[in-house]
């Protein structure tokens, strides 16, 4: 059921009163021991427990890639999925004792695979007598204690999220997800957990959930006017002292926010996207932070709090269930209360575990349904296409995305005042392993081109703005002098720019001179054989992530919106293939951009 704030606050008040009472008077066992042993030296009372954590599961239950319809594998031979995490969790519980562990998550749970898409859109959990979401089933069976909200939880709209929340046997936490009108918590902000010790008094562990302020931009269509998302530091500073006053011996933050202190949406919001490190630094009273959102692996990272000088331990397990974080706590009883003596963190690799047969049996039917769905044939292709060289070359498979987007926008603007303007399109190489085979094309082939739930918009730009956009995109390439050896594997992702933040623009021709500094790389920019007039007007078919500021590209977020669509671009591609029947690169593919040095092509 949806979060009932009245019930929550009433429970919190009762819990707070009970904790205050427990703190005021020792338990009979502890009191008797203290009376009998007053003044006598005795061994300190200690207690150890472990908090396990996952993040960015993105709909991965099994070690399976639905876009290739085979077992998941990568160059590092990582495995994915909750079925393997379940086995690791059982091993830890067996070693530590079930009652001495907690299991939490840092968000981005219900989006990312065709399994999660299927139960949001094809056989939706929101339907009357609809199914239970596979991620809820798996996480309930494994025994999660709490999970923070991720930004991708909002991709399918609030009704899907609320239904998922209702189906979970653990709370979804979001202290900085507020009702837009009342500014009260829209979800449970925190959860309190009691761990029994051999020494008479329980250890009270508080888990504070924080989500990403970028939701207000990235899922504007779903949350505008309904929810607002203040900064993580602000809400942590509000809740951590409250949790301590309620008797929490240990405070853990589960934050769907990276640790780098950076933002991908520029100055559109006064909040930091990747703020976990800042929370540790600025807010006293936190013992550990489970980090999410950034899709990086951080086994252990220590941040000193400015006010107290105390080190806060951060850890981020790798995405999709590839890693399980373990926070190991050692507590000591002193002066009538528990205090944290030591915290350490590490990660376990799920490729060391077999899939839990219980989870496999539980969700085998759902898996089979989705496999059958993604293998439906929707058309044919005259030749094979691959994205392997997409980051450094204009390849047909990226042109396919752009062609579909441009054609869709042209159709949408037909008969409007904008119909005569030229339509450009942006797309990225979202996956270096995406491919379209020669012959039959299935849903999984088409869906694999676009693994995100982005929707499409049309924005109005000038020629000068388009050039700025391309210059910003071209920062993706490592500056390479004429004559230097070019290694394609080392040419991209300059300064950590991910593949999905390099856009190729379709409908223009241009060169990218990688020998030049960032900001001065675009040369020969032309439209239909003529140099682009800086004052000319163009329509850009653009995904909603980019249009709302994702990647901090210039001009687009402020540009006039001419049209927007609520259907995923992935579905638009699938429907286009169905309607067209035959995918023929000769009809849409051409080399419109290339990498050069001093005018000489790199490839």
């Amino acid at each position: 059921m949806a979060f009932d704030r009245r019930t929550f606050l009433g429970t919190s008040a009762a819990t707070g009163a009970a904790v205050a009472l427990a703190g005021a008077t020792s338990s009979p066992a502890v009191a008797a021991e203290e009376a009998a042993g007053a003044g006598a030296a005795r061994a300190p009372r200690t207690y150890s427990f472990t908090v396990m954590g996952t993040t960015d599961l993105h709909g991965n239950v099994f070690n399976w890639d639905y876009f290739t319809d085979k077992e998941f594998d990568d160059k590092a031979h990582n495995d994915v999925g909750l079925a393997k995490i379940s086995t690791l969790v059982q091993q830890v519980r067996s070693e530590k004792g079930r009652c001495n562990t907690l299991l939490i998550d840092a968000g981005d749970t219900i989006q990312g695979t065709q399994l999660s898409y299927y139960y949001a859109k094809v056989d939706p959990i929101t339907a009357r007598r609809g199914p239970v979401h596979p991620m809820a089933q798996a996480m309930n069976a494994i025994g999660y204690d709490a999970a923070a909200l991720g930004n991708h939880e909002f991709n399918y709209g609030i009704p899907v999220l609320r239904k998922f929340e209702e189906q979970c046997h653990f709370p979804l936490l979001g202290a900085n997800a507020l009702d837009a009108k009342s500014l009260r918590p829209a979800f449970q902000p925190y959860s309190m957990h009691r761990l029994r010790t051999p020494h008479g008094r329980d250890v009270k562990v508080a888990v504070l959930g924080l989500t990403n302020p970028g939701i207000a931009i990235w899922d504007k269509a779903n949350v505008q006017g309904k929810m607002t998302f203040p900064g993580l530091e602000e809400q942590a500073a509000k809740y951590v002292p409250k949790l301590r006053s309620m008797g929490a011996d240990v405070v853990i933050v589960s934050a769907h926010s990276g640790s780098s202190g950076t933002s991908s949406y520029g100055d559109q919001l006064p909040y930091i996207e990747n703020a976990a490190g800042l929370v540790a630094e600025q807010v006293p009273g936190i013992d550990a932070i489970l980090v999410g959102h950034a899709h990086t692996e951080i086994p252990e990272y220590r941040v000193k709090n400015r006010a107290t000088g105390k080190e806060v331990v951060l850890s981020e397990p790798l995405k999709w269930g590839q890693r399980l974080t373990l926070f190991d706590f050692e507590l000591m009883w002193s002066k009538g209360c528990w205090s944290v003596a030591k915290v350490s963190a590490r990660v376990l690799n799920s490729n060391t575990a077999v899939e839990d047969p219980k989870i496999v049996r539980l969700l085998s039917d759902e898996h089979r349904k989705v496999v059958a769905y993604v293998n439906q044939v929707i058309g044919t292709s005259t030749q094979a296409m691959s994205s392997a060289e997409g980051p450094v070359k204009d390849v047909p498979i990226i042109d396919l995305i752009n062609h579909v987007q441009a054609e869709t926008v042209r159709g949408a603007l037909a008969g409007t005042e904008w119909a005569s303007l030229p339509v450009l399109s942006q797309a990225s190489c979202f996956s270096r392993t995406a491919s379209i085979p020669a012959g039959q094309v299935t849903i999984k082939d088409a869906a694999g081109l676009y693994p995100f739930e982005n929707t499409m918009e049309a924005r109005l730009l000038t020629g000068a703005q388009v050039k700025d956009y391309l210059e910003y995109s071209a920062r993706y390439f490592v500056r390479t002098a004429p004559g230097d050896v070019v290694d394609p594997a080392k040419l991209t992702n300059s300064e950590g720019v991910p593949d999905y933040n390099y856009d190729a623009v379709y409908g223009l021709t241009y060169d990218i001179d990688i020998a030049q500094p960032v900001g001065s790389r675009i040369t020969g920019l032309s439209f239909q054989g003529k140099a682009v007039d800086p004052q000319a007007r163009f329509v850009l078919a653009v995904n909603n992530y980019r249009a709302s500021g994702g990647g901090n590209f210039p001009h687009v977020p402020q540009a006039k919106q001419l049209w927007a669509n609520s259907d995923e671009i992935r579905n638009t591609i699938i429907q286009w293939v169905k309607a067209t029947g035959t995918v023929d690169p000769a009809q849409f593919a051409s080399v419109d951009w290339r990498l050069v040095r001093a005018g000489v092509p790199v490839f």
Side-chain angles (χ1 to χ4, degrees):
M1 57 184 290
F3 170 50
D4 184 327
R5 182 175 181 271
R6 181 180 301 171
T7 301
F8 170 74
L9 291 180
T11 303
S12 297
T15 302
V19 168
L21 182 62
T25 59
S26 300
S27 69
V30 172
E33 184 177 346
E34 289 177 345
R42 58 181 179 271
R45 291 190 290 275
T46 62
Y47 175 67
S48 299
F49 70 97
T50 297
V51 177
M52 298 172 281
T54 55
T55 191
D56 296 277
L57 293 168
H58 283 289
N60 285 280
V61 172
F62 300 115
N63 188 45
W64 195 260
D65 184 344
Y66 293 96
F67 294 125
T68 61
D69 196 26
K70 60 184 180 182
E71 185 175 306
F72 176 87
D73 195 22
D74 62 15
K75 292 180 180 178
H77 301 298
N78 289 303
D79 288 348
V80 300
L82 277 170
K84 292 210 164 204
I85 289 294
S86 181
T87 298
L88 293 179
V89 167
Q90 288 186 61
Q91 291 171 358
V92 174
R93 286 172 175 165
S94 177
E95 176 188 346
K96 306 284 185 179
R98 176 70 173 84
C99 60
N100 300 319
T101 64
L102 293 172
L103 175 60
I104 64 176
D105 183 79
D108 274 5
T109 303
I110 60 171
Q111 174 277 336
T113 65
Q114 286 291 281
L115 179 72
S116 54
Y117 177 82
Y118 186 89
Y119 288 97
K121 292 288 189 176
V122 181
D123 185 11
I125 60 174
T126 50
R128 189 167 178 259
R129 298 180 181 176
V132 177
H133 199 290
M135 294 300 287
Q137 291 192 59
M139 295 174 81
N140 290 341
I142 296 169
Y144 273 76
D145 294 288
L149 293 165
N151 54 284
H152 284 289
E153 259 66 84
F154 294 84
N155 284 175
Y156 297 119
I158 292 173
V160 170
L161 174 54
R162 286 301 191 191
K163 189 63 178 181
F164 175 70
E165 178 188 28
E166 178 186 319
Q167 293 176 342
C168 290
H169 298 166
F170 51 90
L172 299 185
L173 307 178
N176 61 328
L178 309 181
D179 179 86
K181 295 180 180 177
S182 69
L183 298 184
R184 294 174 177 175
F187 294 86
Q188 187 168 319
Y190 59 84
S191 57
M192 191 75 81
H193 309 269
R194 287 178 175 267
L195 300 177
R196 293 199 174 278
T197 77
H199 303 299
R201 179 178 151 177
D202 296 347
V203 167
K204 289 172 281 296
V205 181
V207 178
L208 177 66
L210 297 170
T211 192
N212 206 288
I215 295 166
I217 290 177
W218 305 322
D219 270 297
K220 182 178 179 180
N222 290 327
V223 302
Q224 188 174 34
K226 300 174 183 176
M227 293 185 191
T228 185
F229 303 87
L232 284 82
E233 307 99 307
E234 170 191 325
Q235 294 302 103
K238 174 182 176 180
Y239 278 101
V240 171
K242 177 179 180 178
L243 295 171
R244 289 294 184 181
S245 72
M246 290 171 61
D249 300 297
V250 179
V251 174
I252 300 167
V253 173
S254 183
H256 193 75
S257 180
S259 61
S260 65
T262 61
S263 284
S264 67
Y265 48 74
D267 59 0
Q268 294 182 77
L269 282 179
Y271 310 118
I272 300 297
E273 175 183 351
N274 296 302
L278 297 175
V279 171
E281 186 180 74
Q282 296 177 15
V283 182
I286 298 169
D287 296 296
I289 301 179
L290 177 65
V291 178
H293 183 62
H295 288 202
T296 58
E297 181 177 345
I298 306 175
E300 182 182 79
Y301 174 46
R302 293 177 178 268
V303 175
K304 185 174 289 188
N305 183 266
R306 288 179 186 172
T308 65
K310 176 185 173 183
E311 284 190 336
V312 182
V313 177
L314 287 72
S315 180
E316 180 175 7
L318 199 57
K319 64 185 185 297
W320 305 347
Q322 295 179 45
R323 303 288 186 274
L324 176 70
T325 278
L326 304 185
F327 290 105
D328 292 313
F329 289 85
E330 294 181 16
L331 274 60
M332 183 173 292
W333 178 267
S334 176
K335 298 180 180 179
C337 65
W338 289 108
S339 61
V340 176
K342 183 181 178 182
V343 187
S344 61
R346 56 197 168 103
V347 296
L348 302 182
N349 193 327
S350 66
N351 70 9
T352 65
V354 297
E355 291 190 326
D356 184 349
K358 179 180 70 174
I359 304 300
V360 173
R361 288 193 300 271
L362 180 68
L363 292 166
S364 60
D365 286 346
E366 287 82 350
H367 174 70
R368 282 194 292 267
K369 285 181 183 178
V370 176
V371 168
Y373 165 74
V374 300
N375 279 288
Q376 291 179 38
V377 175
I378 55 174
T380 60
S381 178
T382 61
Q383 66 183 65
M385 294 179 281
S386 168
S387 65
E389 295 184 312
V392 295
K393 294 181 181 180
D394 186 350
V395 294
I397 202 167
I398 306 298
D399 286 345
L400 173 59
I401 298 173
N402 273 320
H403 177 72
V404 171
Q405 292 182 164
E407 191 173 275
T408 300
V409 167
R410 283 192 202 97
L413 296 181
T416 72
E417 61 181 299
W418 317 108
S420 62
L421 294 181
V423 177
L424 312 177
S425 177
Q426 62 79 221
S428 305
C429 182
F430 296 114
S431 168
R432 298 191 182 199
T433 59
S435 63
I436 296 289
Q440 290 186 335
V441 177
T442 63
I443 285 178
K444 73 173 185 286
D445 299 324
L449 303 184
Y450 220 108
F452 299 106
E453 260 62 52
N454 294 340
T455 58
M456 202 186 327
E457 299 188 17
R459 297 283 179 128
L460 183 65
L461 297 179
T462 66
Q465 290 174 328
V466 171
K467 186 174 187 297
D468 288 346
Y469 188 100
L470 290 170
E471 289 284 9
Y472 182 81
S473 185
R475 68 197 175 101
Y476 170 75
F477 297 104
V478 175
R479 190 175 183 182
T480 310
D484 285 358
V485 175
V486 173
D487 180 356
K490 299 178 180 179
L491 193 58
T492 62
N493 308 107
S494 179
E495 298 185 9
V497 176
D499 291 352
Y500 62 77
N501 273 343
Y502 168 63
D503 287 357
V505 173
Y506 179 83
L508 300 170
T509 57
Y510 57 96
D511 289 343
I512 302 172
D513 192 334
I514 60 173
Q516 298 302 314
V518 170
S520 302
R521 292 181 166 181
I522 303 301
T523 63
L525 182 62
S526 62
F527 174 71
Q528 294 184 346
K530 296 180 180 180
V532 168
D533 180 349
Q535 302 303 315
R537 297 194 302 172
F538 295 90
V539 177
L540 180 66
V542 60
N543 68 55
N544 69 305
Y545 174 78
R546 193 70 80 234
S548 61
N552 202 24
F553 277 64
H555 305 305
V556 174
Q558 297 79 30
K560 182 179 180 63
Q561 184 190 78
L562 308 181
W563 172 82
N565 187 13
S566 61
D567 200 17
E568 291 90 352
I569 293 171
R570 177 166 60 208
N571 264 357
T572 302
I573 295 171
I574 291 170
Q575 296 306 318
W576 184 90
V577 173
K578 283 183 176 179
T580 305
T582 300
V583 178
D584 183 2
Q587 302 298 315
F588 57 79
S590 59
V591 178
D592 295 326
W593 66 269
R594 59 181 184 169
L595 301 183
V596 301
R597 289 180 294 182
V600 179
V602 173
F603 301 108

